[in-house]
Amino acid sequence: MNSDQFEGNWKELKGKVQQQWGKLTSDDLDVIDGKREELVGRIQKRYGKSREEAEKEVEHYLH
């Protein structure tokens, strides 16, 4: 799934993203608003992961 598809399907994906990364708050999800880079940043912050680790998780999740 590319970034445009991710953003376009955000309303559908929002619940699944919160299930996958339970530490993300509703406020986080509102800020992410379908932006892949924002999701990576929030995962990085909430889970204390490196940017590379968070990128890999998101990439794996989206494919």
Side-chain angles (χ1 to χ4, degrees), residues 16-50:
K16 293 177 183 177
V17 166
Q18 192 160 31
Q19 283 180 332
Q20 178 71 23
W21 294 285
K23 290 184 181 180
L24 295 178
T25 66
S26 293
D27 287 342
D28 288 331
L29 295 173
D30 289 342
V31 171
I32 292 165
D33 194 32
K35 297 176 198 83
R36 188 178 181 279
E37 287 301 310
E38 193 67 45
L39 174 59
V40 170
R42 293 290 166 149
I43 291 169
Q44 190 179 2
K45 178 180 175 184
R46 294 281 179 219
Y47 288 87
K49 295 182 179 276
S50 71

Side-chain angles (χ1 to χ4, degrees), residues 50-63:
S50 71
R51 181 115 188 127
E52 186 176 284
E53 286 176 310
E55 283 276 358
K56 284 181 183 178
E57 281 190 21
V58 171
E59 192 64 34
H60 179 73
Y61 179 74
L62 295 177
H63 289 311

